[in-house]
Amino acid sequence: MKTKLTLVTALALSTLGLATTAQAHKAWLQPSQTVFSDKGSWMTVDAAVSNDLFYFNHVPLPLERLQVTAPDGSKVEPQNASTGKLRSVFDLQLQLEGTYKIAMNNEGMFASYKLGGEAKRWRGKASEFATGIPAGATDVEASESLGRVETFATVGKPSTTVFATTGKGIELVPVTHPNDLFAGESATFQLLVDGKPASGLKIEIVPGATRYRNEQSEIHATTGADGKFEVKWAQPGMYWLETASEDKKTTLPQAKQRRLSYVAVFEVLPQ
Amino acid sequence: MKLSSFKVLIPALALPLPAFAADLELNIEIPRINAAEYHRPYVAAWIEKPDNTVASNLAVWYDLDMKNGEGTKWLKDMRQWWRRSGRTLSMPVDGVSGATRPVGSHAVSFKGNSKQLAGLSPGSYTLVVEAAREVGGREMLTIPFEWPAKAQTLSAQGKTELGKVGLVVKP
């Protein structure tokens, strides 16, 4: 049982960290809805990694790293959390007016090495790296990853306190508020890497319900010099957005490469 | 030319300010719908400026009397109203909020000096009426009009959640 869970966790985390590769699965947090008019409303969120949007056909996202932030900056405890074979699910009660952020952050290190002629792999935190690789290991190749999976929900008037940035990895800054998206309109967002506007980031946006159409219908965008990009929403629905980049700004000298990724799910309403 | 325009201006200046005001009559038809589960629709009527900002909220009909204000839960279903102004209001709003209405035609009139209309400066506006029904659909109608200008009798015909919506401007 324990091994199984660990395997699932590892799979999900690798997806979070290695989202750059084309064959990667998609990680997502899908809210039941994102616009509320009543304080005290309940929402439920599905957390999964899958090939298709938004269907549960691969592995659940483990909930250990879940962080829900209320409009006043306080932490919200998820309720009725459960992880099944294909998805995790949890409920949230939205007691305050304003915008909530539901996020999973993954910060970790990945290493491959050889021990006694056998190829081994290791995953963990940067702080565990020194003790994680056994003495006598050769051909150690390490990389760091920093990934975020987010979604947002608003009671009443949208607020922006939860978009305060940390200056680490890829972060999204709203120009258009993510809970104010309507079909037929355009939205603008800004992407930062380590707190600075990131130009040339390639963004892929895929509308949900892929099971009921034959093509991905993805939207491609690239950030400009100011880190901003614009999306026009053709249809209402849930949308999955992803971007990723790589650099060499690692925290440990043993890691040669840093992989950054950012995923968000947005709800676009009809006019 | 100069002299004649001067002549025209004098009587206009002599008039007291409320002369800009006009009265507004609104008629909203809530159609009969054969549904296994029928709830009266939530309806919002408001006046928009050409840039889609709200100039005035005329009426919001919702489940006003539910205990603990639970009726506000579905206000968001009037999506455009919610976005344009609802989410920044504290419900109920005096003189604007009202209970949901039954099937039929509902006349609502506003005097030029009412809270809803007194602040309107002359210009082009759009009346927007949006209806959303629990376990049902949603429909929004718009009627452009000039304020206060000339007498106007305008209407729009709904297809699903709204019937005929009439607007009369009386200078």
Side-chain angles (χ1 to χ4, degrees):
Chain A
M1 181 62 196
K2 188 146 196 185
T3 16
K4 243 187 207 169
L5 257 178
T6 319
L7 180 67
V8 165
T9 310
L11 272 168
L13 287 181
S14 72
T15 310
L16 277 173
L18 306 172
T20 40
T21 48
Q23 74 274 18
H25 297 100
K26 297 175 171 75
W28 41 268
L29 285 163
Q30 193 200 15
S32 51
Q33 57 176 300
T34 60
V35 176
F36 296 86
S37 50
D38 202 24
K39 277 189 281 186
S41 289
W42 286 90
M43 70 185 292
T44 186
V45 182
D46 289 312
V49 178
S50 69
N51 285 313
D52 305 304
L53 299 169
F54 290 95
Y55 303 97
F56 315 110
N57 58 16
H58 187 42
V59 292
L61 260 182
L63 296 178
E64 294 94 76
R65 286 173 175 79
L66 178 67
Q67 284 217 326
V68 182
T69 313
D72 65 353
S74 64
K75 296 281 164 248
V76 180
E77 277 306 309
Q79 302 194 40
N80 305 319
S82 138
T83 296
K85 290 283 185 194
L86 298 175
R87 69 166 161 179
S88 291
V89 65
F90 55 92
D91 299 332
L92 295 171
Q93 193 172 22
L94 313 175
Q95 305 278 20
L96 301 174
E97 284 234 340
T99 300
Y100 286 74
K101 177 165 85 174
I102 301 142
M104 275 189 207
N105 298 335
N106 166 54
E107 267 182 77
M109 277 191 83
F110 172 81
S112 63
Y113 59 90
K114 279 185 180 158
L115 191 65
E118 215 181 316
K120 302 256 189 192
R121 299 200 297 178
W122 177 86
R123 246 177 249 283
K125 291 177 185 162
S127 57
E128 298 162 355
F129 184 74
T131 53
I133 306 289
T138 58
D139 303 292
V140 179
E141 297 240 9
S143 66
E144 254 183 285
S145 67
L146 208 168
R148 286 192 170 84
V149 179
E150 297 182 339
T151 193
F152 307 92
T154 295
V155 181
K157 193 181 173 187
S159 64
T160 54
T161 44
V162 294
F163 297 98
T165 54
T166 65
K168 275 182 86 179
I170 305 179
E171 294 176 285
L172 179 117
V173 178
V175 178
T176 308
H177 195 287
N179 293 143
D180 202 8
L181 307 177
F182 283 81
E185 296 182 6
S186 292
T188 302
F189 303 108
Q190 187 184 37
L191 287 170
L192 308 180
V193 169
D194 293 342
K196 294 184 195 69
S199 68
L201 278 183
K202 287 187 167 35
I203 298 129
E204 186 182 294
I205 297 162
V206 184
T210 49
R211 182 176 169 84
Y212 305 116
R213 62 176 190 266
N214 293 324
E215 57 295 310
Q216 287 290 302
S217 304
E218 67 264 46
I219 303 165
H220 294 284
T222 306
T223 54
D226 54 1
K228 289 179 183 166
F229 66 99
E230 193 182 355
V231 199
K232 178 150 188 190
W233 311 106
Q235 301 288 333
M238 288 283 179
Y239 284 77
W240 180 84
L241 173 150
E242 185 197 43
T243 188
S245 75
E246 286 184 9
D247 58 30
K248 300 198 184 306
K249 295 174 190 162
T250 55
T251 44
L252 289 184
Q254 292 93 329
K256 292 191 187 89
Q257 208 180 32
R258 185 175 72 148
R259 295 191 175 102
L260 304 174
S261 67
Y262 181 87
V263 167
V265 171
F266 296 137
E267 185 181 33
V268 176
L269 294 173
Q271 283 286 342
Chain B
M1 179 59 198
K2 207 167 191 177
L3 193 68
S4 64
S5 65
F6 188 62
K7 267 183 187 163
V8 174
L9 267 175
I10 290 169
L13 283 171
L15 288 170
L17 267 177
F20 281 124
D23 295 343
L24 208 145
E25 281 175 14
L26 194 60
N27 208 291
I28 299 175
E29 188 187 354
I30 294 172
R32 180 166 301 282
I33 290 168
N34 286 320
E37 183 185 343
Y38 180 79
H39 300 270
R40 291 178 181 182
Y42 276 27
V43 176
W46 71 98
I47 297 172
E48 274 187 11
K49 295 176 193 166
D51 65 356
N52 293 121
T53 57
V54 173
S56 176
N57 268 303
L58 297 178
V60 180
W61 301 338
Y62 71 105
D63 270 340
L64 200 63
D65 294 329
M66 280 181 81
K67 63 172 166 60
N68 304 325
E70 278 170 21
T72 56
K73 185 174 173 184
W74 298 282
L75 283 172
K76 62 169 175 55
D77 292 344
M78 296 185 284
R79 279 188 211 107
Q80 289 303 327
W81 172 77
W82 181 248
R83 166 194 212 192
R84 300 289 180 214
S85 75
R87 67 194 191 188
T88 63
L89 297 174
S90 172
M91 299 303 286
V93 176
D94 264 1
V96 173
S97 308
T100 52
R101 308 278 178 112
V103 168
S105 207
H106 302 277
V108 205
S109 59
F110 301 91
K111 290 283 175 208
N113 59 4
S114 65
K115 192 179 79 176
Q116 281 90 343
L117 301 181
L120 282 193
S121 46
S124 299
Y125 292 95
T126 302
L127 169 78
V128 191
V129 178
E130 183 173 16
R133 192 164 49 88
E134 195 185 342
V135 214
R138 170 187 167 269
E139 187 167 29
M140 194 172 84
L141 295 176
T142 55
I143 303 177
F145 67 97
E146 294 297 320
W147 181 260
K150 54 188 193 300
Q152 293 153 88
T153 301
L154 305 161
S155 70
Q157 180 63 48
K159 292 190 186 79
T160 54
E161 300 298 332
L162 286 167
K164 186 183 172 184
V165 170
L167 174 70
V168 178
V169 183
K170 287 182 177 168

